[in-house]
Amino acid sequence: MKDEELTQVHHVAINVSNLAAAIKWYQTSFNCRLIHQEPRQAILQFANVKLALLLPSQEQPHVAFVKADAANFGELFPQPGDIQSTCLADPTGNLVELGAT
């Protein structure tokens, strides 16, 4: 399989108890940039992937992939950053987001 055939990871989303403290920790511990922030989440850009920081009462941890045919997996809903996505669960129950660009 050639690299251009590999599916792209868009972001990984984890829960944090304090958004401001988590943003500060990631930015001072690693070389990343804050690219989006709202009261319930923040998104940090790293060289190869985005990290979404979520308040646990608002969203579940998940992994998100870019998939051109995401609509084949369910209805697409608007997300921050001009992306539409749908969610499903893997065989273990982990939340997986598929975003169409």
Side-chain angles (χ1 to χ4, degrees), residues 26-90:
Y26 278 97
Q27 287 188 309
T28 57
S29 299
F30 305 100
N31 187 17
C32 62
R33 182 178 51 230
L34 179 65
I35 60 170
H36 178 82
Q37 185 174 1
E38 57 187 63
R40 64 184 180 94
Q41 73 174 351
I43 300 174
L44 300 171
Q45 178 69 57
F46 288 78
N48 60 338
V49 71
K50 294 176 183 80
L51 177 64
L53 306 173
L54 312 172
L55 293 177
S57 62
Q58 300 296 311
E59 290 193 50
Q60 292 180 309
H62 62 274
V63 61
F65 299 97
V66 176
K67 194 146 174 66
D69 65 346
N72 292 341
F73 294 86
E75 185 178 354
L76 298 179
F77 296 95
Q79 300 293 334
D82 296 327
I83 291 177
Q84 293 196 341
S85 68
T86 190
C87 291
L88 57 140
D90 72 9

Side-chain angles (χ1 to χ4, degrees), residues 1-32:
M1 180 180 279
K2 295 182 180 181
D3 284 346
E4 63 267 10
E5 297 172 4
L6 297 176
T7 299
Q8 180 184 350
V9 173
H10 185 268
H11 67 270
V12 174
I14 61 172
N15 285 142
V16 298
S17 59
N18 181 311
L19 227 93
I23 292 167
K24 182 178 179 180
W25 186 83
Y26 278 97
Q27 287 188 309
T28 57
S29 299
F30 305 100
N31 187 17
C32 62

